[in-house]
């Protein structure tokens, strides 16, 4: 306890005069002001460092003067903070309340990075230039702990000081969530939506206006496909009202092939950024730890930077560990592609951060200890540099350990920091890295706290209080809770925040202070069974979460369950992997989809087709689609063969595997005749017999064409307008095979197959009239109109059928179908009977629908 008797003051100071009180108040105000104006980019404004290892180019006298002018001394702070009237001093019962004996971590800032900060400023200045729209990508590389993230966040301060409606949002990839697609991009876009909702919070009318304008623009551009974005962007549903009708309309996308699904997502994300960058200028997106990014995320980055239709300024800052990215890494290939684009509006800036030199380490220690004389800290700086090699994060953690161990302490009698260099040399040793140092520090915590850190390390780079509560309530099963411990989850979280292991960006949300801290906590897990511990956390998570909320964290749970390396059959684990694979497919992340499918199949029992046929069929069928899209032909064929060889499964249930195999034959290998033969065999097994020879095909095609046109003429308009939606699974599968076969027959370029395509189209129209609407009804009717004009020469009937097709397309409400139908009608039918001017607007709308999908 710090008492008044410890301060040796003259007797008359107990009766402080008014003049003396004013003097002390001025000292206190000056100290507070000086503390508040410290700017990380002005600590050493003469720094002449280059990319790589930083260096200080100013003279010793300048550094000494600059530092002492801005930083109050210990004695000044003591006068302003501790020397108070007696009645005030009595209130301070604990030394912990005084800031004089605290290490000044907030004053360190970005020492030794002045040149890099100037580089960032130059990039920002380009985006702020009037009438200039640039795309900036800044890649900050370096070893772990060199301050890459801190340097990137410096841009946020500069944007805020620019007094413009700009936005800085950040997302972070995680080593233990590498299988989750778009994790960092989803996080950053979610923060952007949150920023929109909080914009001008004091003025509710303006805030709602901004959200309404952005929502209106998204709906105008994306139509029903706006629901694609809600699958990957949190908070978008809050900003926009996505109703059940939108979701149902979006389900039509699931009937399209993989490439169309990917194109739809790409277009939606481009539109989202175009609109957001028009409201926030500049828009800056920071993505951390790109060395763990998934392939789809890097593809999206390249897509956004190459978007020629975005006329707004955009900046993407990427941080990655240089020692984990070599020339063959997917990130290196992405950067090479961007460099080779030749886009003059795209600027690529590379910043490489190295470790601090001993001189700069000394400056950091001087700032931490509020010491102006660099000769006093030179010896300590030499030891710290030797132990940490000048790694900034390692250095700060090492100094924390020195204070914790009592090797560095504040002497209240002398009012200054004291240390013994010989003791530090004797009681510390060089460690492998900062993770090892943190691990040693964590092992000194109580067993309960260690178990808590291990559990938190399994939840990713960030987690919610609710998730932690649901899992930690099973703490007795971890074997880490001592009998005397009674600390709640809230108390443990507060302790971890106080120890600077965790941070709280928002109420109820926690994140690791650094990925090295998470790695150190993860390393506490028993080395003999880390996989079983992680999978057990995944099991607890499944047990506690309800089905409605499983979708939001299915990637995290699957990643935990998949840490098991032994070939252990577990049907429940396989089901979770199936859910993760389906979610990945819906956002066109086929690489992640493939990995989850592979894990799920590995977890199936040996008698999988007998014990869980539905689950097995779904996994193999989904795997075939994903591998086919990725171009992995052999793996796709093995999945397909596995399904198609099962005699106990009907042709209808094998539909997806057949479609993947046929699609690969036709579009990857260009084996059109083989694909047509397989398709005809499948249709035969479904009860649809089609001719294979040229002459029979010609005869049936002409007969079927005339018969179908007569059916259209005889069917009343009211009946066509009131056609129901087709729901029969067998009919839907048949129409999908017929539509796919018709496209392949047309693409083959052979006359006999062109006649087959004509026959197939008439069958599709007949199916629509007899059984109802499906996703190809409108376009098949449009093709019939084209055949009526070109083959039968009946202009009036062709026009009538074309009008029916347009009405049918409006009922189906599919952007894919709108593009197909519009292209056929306004290319081949309406120019014969309508002016070209009247066709331009709907033709352009059809083109835009095609680009959306």
């Amino acid at each position: 306890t710090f008492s008044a008797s410890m301060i040796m003051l003259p007797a008359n100071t107990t009766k402080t005069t008014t003049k003396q009180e004013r003097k002390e108040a001025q000292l206190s105000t000056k100290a507070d002001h000086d503390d508040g104006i410290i700017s990380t980019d002005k600590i050493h404004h003469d720094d002449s460092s280059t990319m790589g290892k930083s260096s200080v180019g100013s003279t010793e006298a300048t550094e000494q003067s600059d530092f002492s002018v801005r930083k109050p001394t210990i004695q000044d702070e003591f006068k302003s903070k501790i020397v108070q009237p007696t009645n005030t001093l009595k209130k301070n019962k604990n030394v912990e309340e005084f800031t004089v004996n605290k290490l000044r971590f907030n004053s360190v800032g970005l020492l030794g990075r002045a040149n890099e900060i100037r580089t960032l400023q130059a990039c920002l200045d380009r985006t702020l230039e009037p009438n200039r729209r640039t795309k900036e990508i800044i890649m900050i590389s370096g070893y772990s702990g060199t301050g890459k993230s801190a340097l990137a966040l410096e841009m946020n301060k500069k944007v805020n000081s620019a007094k413009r409606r700009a936005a800085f949002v950040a997302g972070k990839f995680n080593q233990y969530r590498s299988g989750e697609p778009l994790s960092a991009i989803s996080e950053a876009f979610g923060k952007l939506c949150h920023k929109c909702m909080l914009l001008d919070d004091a003025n509710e009318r303006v805030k709602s206006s901004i959200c309404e304008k952005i929502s209106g623009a998204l709906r105008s551009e994306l139509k029903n496909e706006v629901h694609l974005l809600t699958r990957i962007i949190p908070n978008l549903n809050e900003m926009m009202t996505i109703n059940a009708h939108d979701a149902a309309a979006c389900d039509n996308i699931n009937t399209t092939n993989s490439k169309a699904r990917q194109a739809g997502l790409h277009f939606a994300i481009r539109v989202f950024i175009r609109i957001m960058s028009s409201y926030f200028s500049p828009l800056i997106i920071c993505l951390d730890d790109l060395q763990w990014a998934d392939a789809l995320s890097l593809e999206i980055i390249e897509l956004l930077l190459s978007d020629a239709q975005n006329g707004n300024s955009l900046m993407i800052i990427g941080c990655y560990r240089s020692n984990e990215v070599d020339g063959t890494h997917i990130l290196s290939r992405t950067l090479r592609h961007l460099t080779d684009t030749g886009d003059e509006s795209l600027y690529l800036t590379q910043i490489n951060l190295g470790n601090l030199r001993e001189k700069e380490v000394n400056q950091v220690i001087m700032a931490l200890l509020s010491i102006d004389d660099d000769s006093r800290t030179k010896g300590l700086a030499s030891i710290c540099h030797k132990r940490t090699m000048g790694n900034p994060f390692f250095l700060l953690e090492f100094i924390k350990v020195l204070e914790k161990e009592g090797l560095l302490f504040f002497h209240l009698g002398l009012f200054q920091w004291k240390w013994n260099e010989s003791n530090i040399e004797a009681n510390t040793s060089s460690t492998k890295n900062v993770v090892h140092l943190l691990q040693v520090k964590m092992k000194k915590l109580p067993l309960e706290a260690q178990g808590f850190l291990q559990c938190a390390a399994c939840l990713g780079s960030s987690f919610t209080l609710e998730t932690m509560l649901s899992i930690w309530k099973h703490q007795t099963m971890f074997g880490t809770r001592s009998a005397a411990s009674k600390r709640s989850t809230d108390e443990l979280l507060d302790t971890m925040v106080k120890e600077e292991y965790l941070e709280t960006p928002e109420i109820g949300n926690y994140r690791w202070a650094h990925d090295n801290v998470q790695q150190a906590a993860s390393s506490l897990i028993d080395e003999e069974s880390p996989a079983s511990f992680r999978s057990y956390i995944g099991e607890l998570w499944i047990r506690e979460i309800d089905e409605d909320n499983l979708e939001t964290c299915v990637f995290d749970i699957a990643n935990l369950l998949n840490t098991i390396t032994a070939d252990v059959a577990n049907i429940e684990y396989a089901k979770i992997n199936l859910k993760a694979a389906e979610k990945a497919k819906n956002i066109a992340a086929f690489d992640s989809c493939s990995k989850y499918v592979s894990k799920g199949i590995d977890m199936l029992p040996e008698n999988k087709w007998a014990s869980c046929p539905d689950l097995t069929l779904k996994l193999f069928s989904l795997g075939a689609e994903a591998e086919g899209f990725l171009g992995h032909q052999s793996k796709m064929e093995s999945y397909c063969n596995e399904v198609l060889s099962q005699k106990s499964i009907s042709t209808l249930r094998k539909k997806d595997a057949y479609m993947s195999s046929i699609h690969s034959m036709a579009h990857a290998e260009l084996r059109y005749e083989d694909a047509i033969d397989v398709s005809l065999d499948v249709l035969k097994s479904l009860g649809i017999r089609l001719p294979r020879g040229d002459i029979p095909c010609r005869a049936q095609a002409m007969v079927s064409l005339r018969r179908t046109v007569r059916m259209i003429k005889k069917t009343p308009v009211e009946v066509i307008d009131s056609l129901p939606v087709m729901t029969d699974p067998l009919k839907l599968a048949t129409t999908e095979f017929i539509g796919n076969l018709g496209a392949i027959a047309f693409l083959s370029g052979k006359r006999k197959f062109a006649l087959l395509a004509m026959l197939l189209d008439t069958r599709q129209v007949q199916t629509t009239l007899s059984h109802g609407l499906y996703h190809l009804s409108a376009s098949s009717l449009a093709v019939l109109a084209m055949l009526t004009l070109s083959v039968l020469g009946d202009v009036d009937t062709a026009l009538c059928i074309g009008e029916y097709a347009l009405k049918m397309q409006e009922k189906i409400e599919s952007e894919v179908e709108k593009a197909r139908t519009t292209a056929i009608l306004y290319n081949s039918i309406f120019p014969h009977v309508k002016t070209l001017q009247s066709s331009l607007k709907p033709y352009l709308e059809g083109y835009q629908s095609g680009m959306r999908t």
Side-chain angles (χ1 to χ4, degrees):
T1 304
F2 185 67
S3 63
S5 61
M6 296 175 66
I7 307 178
M8 306 302 295
L9 299 174
N12 60 354
T13 57
T14 56
K15 295 183 180 180
T16 311
T17 63
T18 304
K19 182 177 179 181
Q20 179 67 17
E21 288 176 351
R22 286 198 301 270
K23 183 177 180 181
E24 290 170 1
Q26 290 169 357
L27 284 170
S28 177
T29 303
K30 181 181 184 300
D32 289 342
H33 176 69
D34 286 344
D35 244 352
I37 64 170
I38 296 172
S39 176
T40 54
D41 60 339
K42 292 182 179 179
I43 291 179
H44 290 287
H45 54 79
D46 290 326
D47 194 330
S48 59
S49 63
T50 58
M51 293 182 188
K53 292 190 176 182
S54 303
S55 60
V56 179
S58 56
T59 62
E60 293 291 336
T62 305
E63 290 174 357
Q64 186 82 5
S65 173
D66 179 58
F67 202 86
S68 61
V69 166
R70 292 179 302 93
K71 296 293 296 178
T73 63
I74 288 292
Q75 288 78 7
D76 287 339
E77 180 161 3
F78 171 73
K79 292 176 183 177
S80 61
K81 302 287 186 183
I82 296 183
V83 180
Q84 307 174 37
T86 306
N87 59 343
T88 305
L89 186 63
K90 289 179 180 179
K91 296 178 183 178
N92 296 323
K93 299 293 185 183
N94 197 328
V95 179
E96 294 293 329
E97 298 177 13
F98 300 130
T99 59
V100 68
N101 65 326
K102 300 291 185 184
L103 291 169
R104 292 174 166 274
F105 290 104
N106 291 334
S107 68
V108 174
L110 293 174
L111 278 169
R113 305 299 190 198
N115 199 43
E116 287 82 357
I117 292 173
R118 283 194 290 270
T119 300
L120 291 181
Q121 185 65 57
C123 296
L124 180 61
D125 290 342
R126 275 197 299 266
T127 63
L128 294 177
E129 287 182 20
N131 303 320
R132 184 174 181 179
R133 298 293 178 261
T134 63
K135 306 284 192 310
E136 296 274 351
I137 178 167
I138 304 172
M139 301 304 295
I140 305 175
S141 61
Y143 281 76
S144 176
T146 51
K148 302 181 295 295
S149 304
L151 180 62
L153 291 174
E154 184 69 15
M155 188 65 81
N156 190 24
K157 301 175 186 177
K158 294 186 175 297
V159 165
N160 292 334
S161 64
K163 297 182 180 180
R164 295 178 55 146
R165 190 170 70 182
F168 179 97
V169 291
K172 184 180 179 67
F173 294 100
N174 187 266
Q175 181 180 7
Y176 304 104
R177 295 168 65 184
S178 57
E180 179 177 348
L182 300 176
S183 58
I185 290 178
S186 174
E187 180 185 354
F189 287 4
K191 290 177 180 178
L192 191 57
C193 292
H194 186 66
K195 186 178 182 68
C196 291
M197 291 187 285
L198 296 180
L199 193 62
D200 296 330
D201 199 21
N203 191 330
E204 193 68 28
R205 183 181 62 82
V206 173
K207 186 182 79 170
S208 62
S209 174
I210 291 293
C211 289
E212 287 172 4
K213 287 179 180 177
I214 292 175
S215 300
L218 285 172
R219 287 187 181 279
S220 175
E221 287 288 334
L222 296 177
K223 302 295 189 288
N224 292 329
E225 274 69 24
V226 72
H227 189 73
L228 278 171
L229 292 175
T230 64
R231 294 173 176 171
I232 61 172
I233 304 178
N235 300 326
L236 187 59
N237 266 328
E238 297 178 38
M239 193 178 79
M240 303 177 65
T241 305
I242 307 295
N243 55 40
H245 178 268
D246 292 332
C250 187
D251 286 342
N252 287 321
I253 297 167
N254 293 329
T255 62
T256 64
N257 59 40
S258 305
K259 219 164 188 62
R261 188 180 293 111
Q262 183 195 49
L265 179 71
H266 284 183
F267 182 81
I269 291 178
R270 274 183 162 181
V271 168
F272 177 77
I273 291 300
R274 286 173 198 166
I275 293 172
M276 286 300 187
S277 60
S278 68
Y279 280 89
F280 298 102
S281 180
L283 173 60
I284 302 175
I285 302 171
C286 177
L287 302 173
D288 202 359
D289 285 325
L290 281 172
Q291 73 275 2
W292 296 320
D294 58 288
L296 181 59
S297 294
L298 297 177
E299 190 177 329
I300 294 298
I301 293 172
E302 188 174 352
L303 192 78
L304 295 178
L305 291 169
S306 61
D307 186 8
Q309 295 185 48
N310 187 3
N312 308 300
S313 294
L314 174 67
M315 178 184 291
I316 294 180
I317 303 176
C319 304
Y320 66 94
R321 296 182 180 181
S322 54
N323 58 310
E324 296 187 25
V325 176
D326 57 17
T328 62
H329 195 281
I330 187 172
L331 176 59
S332 298
R333 295 202 299 269
T334 301
L335 294 177
R336 285 197 294 269
H337 290 163
L338 289 170
T339 305
D340 296 339
T341 58
D343 186 357
E344 294 182 356
S345 64
L346 176 63
Y347 292 85
L348 173 60
T349 303
Q350 294 268 14
I351 298 176
N352 182 42
L353 294 182
N355 289 334
L356 300 177
R357 298 183 302 180
E358 185 175 326
K359 188 176 184 180
E360 293 155 349
V361 169
N362 195 19
Q363 293 167 0
V364 170
I365 293 174
M366 290 168 63
L368 284 171
L369 307 182
S370 291
I371 293 176
D372 300 337
D373 185 1
D374 62 349
S375 62
R376 280 189 56 201
T377 56
K378 201 167 185 179
L380 177 60
S382 177
I383 298 171
C384 291
H385 185 267
K386 183 167 59 176
R387 295 287 188 262
T388 67
M389 301 302 294
N391 183 282
F393 182 75
F394 197 171
L395 172 65
L396 297 179
E397 291 301 319
F398 183 75
I399 293 174
K400 288 178 187 177
V401 169
L402 293 182
E403 185 193 20
K404 192 90 172 176
E405 298 295 326
L407 298 172
L408 175 67
F409 61 94
F410 186 78
H411 196 293
L412 288 171
L414 299 174
F415 307 112
Q416 63 182 8
W417 288 92
K418 300 291 290 181
W419 63 90
N420 186 300
E421 293 168 12
S422 300
N423 286 344
I424 294 175
E425 285 273 16
N427 290 282
T428 62
S429 59
S430 297
T431 57
K432 293 183 291 184
N433 50 45
V434 68
V435 174
H436 182 260
L437 179 73
L438 288 167
Q439 186 183 19
V440 172
K441 182 180 175 183
M442 289 176 179
K443 283 184 176 179
K444 295 179 180 180
L445 294 170
L447 284 178
E448 182 188 31
Q450 291 185 46
F452 188 83
L453 285 172
Q454 294 171 35
C455 181
C458 296
L459 303 182
S461 58
S462 60
F463 54 88
T464 63
L465 173 62
E466 182 182 3
T467 301
M468 195 67 201
L469 284 169
S470 65
I471 293 176
W472 186 244
K473 69 182 181 182
H474 301 282
Q475 57 191 293
T476 53
M477 306 176 78
F478 297 130
T480 56
R481 183 177 175 87
S482 62
S485 177
K486 296 182 180 179
R487 288 194 291 178
S488 66
T489 304
D490 288 330
E491 290 173 326
L492 284 166
L493 284 169
D494 290 341
T495 300
M496 299 311 159
V497 171
K498 185 178 179 182
E499 292 288 335
E500 297 183 345
Y501 294 137
L502 296 175
E503 298 174 341
T504 53
E506 297 174 0
I507 297 175
N509 289 297
Y510 294 85
R511 69 185 180 198
W512 293 97
H514 194 276
D515 49 15
N516 280 332
V517 181
Q518 183 188 3
Q519 191 175 346
S522 182
S523 66
L524 295 176
I525 300 173
D526 187 0
E527 293 182 0
E528 296 181 359
S529 58
S532 60
F533 182 86
R534 292 181 184 281
S535 63
Y536 181 63
I537 296 295
E539 287 181 356
L540 291 177
W541 205 339
I542 296 173
R543 191 186 307 172
E544 294 297 328
I545 198 168
D546 54 57
E547 191 69 26
D548 294 336
N549 295 322
L550 178 59
E551 170 111 3
T552 59
C553 53
V554 67
F555 290 136
D556 294 320
I557 295 175
N559 291 339
L560 288 171
L561 299 178
N562 292 343
T563 54
I564 291 184
T565 55
D567 295 331
V568 179
N570 193 312
I571 294 177
E572 292 304 316
Y573 285 16
K575 287 180 179 178
I576 293 296
N577 274 284
L578 174 62
K579 288 182 180 292
E582 289 174 336
K583 182 177 179 181
K585 185 195 82 167
N586 287 335
I587 59 174
F590 292 100
D591 189 57
S592 297
C593 176
S594 168
K595 293 175 183 176
Y596 287 122
V597 164
S598 179
K599 283 288 186 181
I601 290 175
D602 290 341
M603 293 172 178
L604 293 173
E606 289 186 9
N607 63 336
K608 49 185 174 289
W609 288 107
S611 59
C612 48
D614 291 340
L615 175 62
T616 305
L617 177 64
K618 288 178 180 178
L619 282 169
F620 275 94
S621 299
L622 186 55
E625 181 182 353
E627 299 297 346
F629 178 84
L630 295 171
H632 303 158
Q633 294 298 118
S634 59
K635 202 163 187 179
M636 183 275 298
E637 289 175 2
S638 69
Y639 283 153
C640 288
N641 292 336
E642 179 75 21
V643 174
L644 300 180
S645 63
Q646 304 303 315
K647 296 181 180 180
S648 60
I649 298 178
S650 66
T651 302
L652 178 61
R653 297 181 63 201
K654 294 177 181 177
K655 185 200 77 170
D656 292 337
Y658 271 122
M659 292 297 286
S660 296
S661 179
I662 293 169
H663 187 274
S664 174
M665 287 181 195
H667 303 296
E669 303 173 56
L670 303 182
R671 293 161 49 201
Y672 292 115
E673 293 200 33
D674 291 340
I676 290 171
D677 286 339
V678 173
S679 299
L680 289 173
D681 289 338
V682 172
L683 285 169
K684 182 179 178 180
S685 67
L686 293 174
I688 306 296
R689 293 182 177 274
L690 294 166
R692 293 180 184 259
D694 189 11
I695 295 176
C697 190
R698 178 193 295 270
Q700 286 196 32
M702 291 302 299
V703 171
S704 184
L705 175 60
R706 295 182 185 279
R707 181 187 301 150
T708 308
V709 171
R710 283 198 301 270
M711 285 180 64
I712 290 287
K713 288 181 176 181
K714 289 180 180 179
T715 305
V717 178
E718 305 82 45
V719 174
I720 294 177
D721 289 342
S722 59
L723 284 172
V725 175
M726 189 186 300
T727 56
D728 184 354
L730 179 59
K731 292 296 180 185
L732 287 170
T734 302
T735 55
E736 191 169 349
F737 275 115
I738 290 176
N740 189 52
L741 175 57
I744 296 172
F746 178 78
L747 290 173
S748 69
K750 295 186 178 181
R751 180 177 176 80
K752 63 176 181 178
F753 293 139
L755 292 170
L756 176 61
M758 184 170 74
L759 175 60
L760 291 169
D761 183 74
T762 59
R763 292 287 183 91
Q764 285 180 292
V765 175
Q766 292 171 18
T767 303
T768 296
L769 295 175
S770 304
H771 301 283
L773 301 176
Y774 66 103
H775 68 285
L776 293 175
S777 291
S779 59
S780 62
L781 202 59
V783 172
L784 180 67
M786 181 179 67
L787 294 173
T788 304
L789 178 65
S790 59
V791 177
L792 301 181
D794 190 342
V795 179
D796 294 335
T797 302
L799 177 61
C800 180
I801 296 174
E803 296 291 351
Y804 287 161
L806 285 180
K807 289 183 180 180
M808 202 172 285
Q809 181 269 316
E810 291 175 2
K811 290 186 67 176
I812 296 173
E813 293 186 335
S814 167
E815 291 292 303
V816 177
E817 191 68 349
K818 182 178 180 180
R820 290 178 180 143
T821 306
T822 303
I824 296 168
L825 294 177
Y826 287 94
N827 245 348
S828 307
I829 308 299
F830 294 151
H832 292 275
V833 292
K834 294 184 178 182
T835 62
L836 185 61
Q837 188 68 27
S838 65
S839 301
L840 290 179
K841 183 179 178 181
Y843 199 89
L844 180 60
E845 290 176 355
Y847 165 77
Q848 291 171 340
S849 295
M851 292 301 296
R852 277 192 283 270
T853 55

